[in-house]
């Protein structure tokens, strides 16, 4: 419990801190900095000696993850063409669940006392996570700096080199007419008062939409995911060591949703697909909650229901990042993503697990159903 709270608190603060740095220092530098914080803290968690040290290292891990969201979603927006950006954005954000599926399988081995000492197994799990992050660190040398960020920071020649390198590998037809010229005023960073003016005066409606999408998806996700094991153990009597088998299909559904629905965000449009995925997720959650209330489903069918719900909910959640990144100016994009992520995580990542933990502790299916509604 304390570790989870520390992780989410770190994610909130890390998102804001690294979001500012991403707009100031560039996308590529923050790719390496945030990931370095994450992998160092994850490795350190394996060597934690008490609850306080464990919570502290989880806090730092969360900070690295918060920074990752700002840097990654800014880069997707600025390097991927709009005609395929929806699918790419959803799949990249949804790929989190590939790791969750692998982690669920790994927990069946690492936490099995018949295979390995559990006191050592959980530490090994964190070390494996840090090792995988090292591989990602090396792969990121392939990613160029955002040419749009470079040109708005007065580094036009570097931007031209990045574009030339991309075009040399992916040749395209030259324009058939003269392109319009634009005049830019480069500056090292955007003052905070201008950021606030954009968010809360010039684009207040967009801010409200972004906050609504991010907070609701975060609440929806964290309410279910962080109490998933409690539902299985407290209401269905599933042994804690077997929970990984039930998380695996849940994770698969979460990845298949963005993979299969993501293309429709490019062909059908953002607005109809956002509305569709959010509404369907809510209706299915209410229906599943009613079946749970009436005790009409067992642990297997409950898992199937979650798998179907989050097939749509995962696409909806990823579309929230897509919406925020596409609707705010380049100069403050990373900070805007970080701001919405921080608020959403604060509302959904802290309030939702606490609330549902209290509801589950009552032992009342009606209380849990009310929480779903």
């Amino acid at each position: 419990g304390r570790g989870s709270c520390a992780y989410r608190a770190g994610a909130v603060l890390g998102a804001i801190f690294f979001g500012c740095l991403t707009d100031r220092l560039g996308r590529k530098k923050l790719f390496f900095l945030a990931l370095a914080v994450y992998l160092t803290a994850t490795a350190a968690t394996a060597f934690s000696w008490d609850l306080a040290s464990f919570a502290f290292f989880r806090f730092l891990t969360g900070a690295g993850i918060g920074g990752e969201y700002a840097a990654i979603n800014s880069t997707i927006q600025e390097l991927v063409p709009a005609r395929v950006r929806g699918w790419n954005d959803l799949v990249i954000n949804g790929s989190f669940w590939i790791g969750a599926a692998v982690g669920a399988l790994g927990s069946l081995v690492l936490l099995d006392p018949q295979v390995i000492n559990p006191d050592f197994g959980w530490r090994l799990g964190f070390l494996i996570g840090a090792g995988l992050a090292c591989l990602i660190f090396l792969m990121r040398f392939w990613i160029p700096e955002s040419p749009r960020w470079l040109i708005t920071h007065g580094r036009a020649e570097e931007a031209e080199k990045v574009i030339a390198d991309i075009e040399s590998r992916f040749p395209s037809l030259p324009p058939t007419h003269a392109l319009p010229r634009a005049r830019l005023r480069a500056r090292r960073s955007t003052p905070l008062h201008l950021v606030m003016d954009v968010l809360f005066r010039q684009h207040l409606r967009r801010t409200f939409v972004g906050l609504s999408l991010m907070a609701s998806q975060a609440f929806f996700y964290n309410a279910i995911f962080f109490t998933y094991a409690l539902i299985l153990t407290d209401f269905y009597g599933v042994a804690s060591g077997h929970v990984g088998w039930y998380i695996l299909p849940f994770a698969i559904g979460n990845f298949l949703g963005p993979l299969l629905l993501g293309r429709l965000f490019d062909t059908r449009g953002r607005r109809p697909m956002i509305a569709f995925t959010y509404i369907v997720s809510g209706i299915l959650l209410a229906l599943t909650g009613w079946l749970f209330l009436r005790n009409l489903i067992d642990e297997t069918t409950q898992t199937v229901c979650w798998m179907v719900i989050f097939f749509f909910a995962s696409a909806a959640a990823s579309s929230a990042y897509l919406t925020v990144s596409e609707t705010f100016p380049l100069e403050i994009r990373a900070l805007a993503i970080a701001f919405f992520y921080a608020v959403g995580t604060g509302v959904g990542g802290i309030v939702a697990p606490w609330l549902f933990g209290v509801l589950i502790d009552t032992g009342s299916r009606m209380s849990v159903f009310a929480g779903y509604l």
Side-chain angles (χ1 to χ4, degrees):
R2 290 185 184 180
S4 296
C5 289
Y7 173 86
R8 290 189 288 272
V12 169
L13 297 177
I16 298 297
F17 175 72
F18 286 116
C20 292
L21 291 182
T22 301
D23 283 330
R24 179 181 290 267
L25 302 179
R27 300 354 182 179
K28 187 167 185 175
K29 288 182 180 177
L30 267 294
F31 260 145
F32 290 104
L33 180 59
L35 186 59
V37 170
Y38 166 80
L39 71 87
T40 302
T42 301
T45 305
F47 298 99
S48 54
W49 54 91
D50 57 18
L51 182 57
S53 63
F54 180 84
F56 175 70
F57 293 136
R58 294 304 289 160
F59 174 87
L60 294 179
T61 302
I65 289 294
E68 285 278 283
Y69 273 100
I72 288 173
N73 283 283
S74 298
T75 303
I76 293 171
Q77 166 68 20
E78 292 156 22
L79 289 179
V80 178
R83 65 181 180 276
V84 294
R85 187 183 302 133
W87 184 82
N88 279 270
D89 188 283
L90 266 66
V91 170
I92 290 172
N93 278 287
S95 65
F96 164 87
W97 292 101
I98 297 178
V102 175
L105 286 173
S107 70
L108 297 172
V109 177
L110 297 176
L111 300 181
D112 187 347
Q114 296 181 345
V115 177
I116 189 172
N117 183 349
D119 290 337
F120 176 71
W122 70 268
R123 296 178 186 273
L124 182 59
F126 282 109
L127 287 175
I128 292 173
L132 293 174
C134 289
L135 296 177
I136 301 301
F137 192 91
L138 296 175
M139 292 170 64
R140 288 192 171 173
F141 283 100
W142 302 339
I143 302 175
E145 179 57 272
S146 164
R148 297 184 182 183
W149 182 87
L150 288 170
I151 201 167
T152 56
H153 285 73
R155 297 161 63 176
E157 291 185 4
E158 293 178 60
E160 287 286 354
K161 290 180 180 178
V162 172
I163 293 298
D165 180 62
I166 293 173
E167 290 180 341
S168 67
R169 288 178 287 135
F170 304 98
S172 58
L173 295 175
T176 57
H177 55 83
L179 296 175
R181 300 178 67 86
R183 177 172 295 175
L184 300 174
R185 185 178 64 182
R187 58 188 173 200
R188 183 172 178 81
S189 62
T190 302
L192 189 59
H193 71 87
L194 290 183
V195 176
M196 295 297 103
D197 183 69
V198 170
L199 291 176
F200 298 107
R201 189 184 67 83
Q202 295 184 39
H203 297 301
L204 182 59
R205 180 178 294 183
R206 297 183 187 184
T207 298
F208 178 75
V209 171
L211 286 174
S212 300
L213 294 179
M214 293 291 271
S216 59
Q217 67 87 10
F219 191 96
F220 194 104
Y221 250 98
N222 290 292
I224 306 303
F225 185 61
F226 282 100
T227 59
Y228 191 87
L230 290 177
I231 291 290
L232 292 173
T233 56
D234 291 10
F235 288 94
Y236 294 114
V238 175
S240 58
H242 295 163
V243 169
W245 289 115
Y246 296 88
I247 293 181
L248 180 59
F250 177 78
I252 292 173
N254 272 280
F255 179 66
L256 289 179
L259 180 66
L260 299 179
L261 297 177
R263 192 71 187 111
L264 296 176
F265 282 79
D266 293 321
T267 57
R268 297 294 182 181
R270 302 337 188 205
R271 292 178 66 178
M273 287 306 298
I274 290 170
F276 172 74
T277 51
Y278 270 78
I279 290 171
V280 170
S281 301
I283 292 174
L284 291 176
L285 178 62
L287 178 60
T288 298
W290 181 82
L291 295 173
F292 172 79
L293 172 66
R294 296 295 181 181
N295 201 16
L296 297 176
I297 50 179
D298 59 15
E299 64 273 20
T300 302
T301 47
Q302 175 75 74
T303 301
V304 171
C305 288
W306 290 138
M307 187 176 180
V308 174
I309 291 171
F310 283 89
F311 176 86
F312 297 98
S314 183
S318 296
S319 72
Y321 293 98
L322 175 66
T323 301
V324 170
S325 66
E326 286 191 329
T327 53
F328 287 95
L330 170 68
E331 303 95 308
I332 67 166
R333 179 169 295 139
L335 183 56
I337 294 170
F339 168 74
F340 291 110
Y341 172 82
V343 173
T345 300
V347 173
I350 297 175
V351 176
W354 169 81
L355 174 61
F356 270 74
V358 171
L359 296 175
I360 291 171
D361 284 343
T362 65
S364 167
R365 288 177 178 261
M366 176 57 75
S367 295
V368 177
F369 176 53
Y372 290 154
L373 293 179

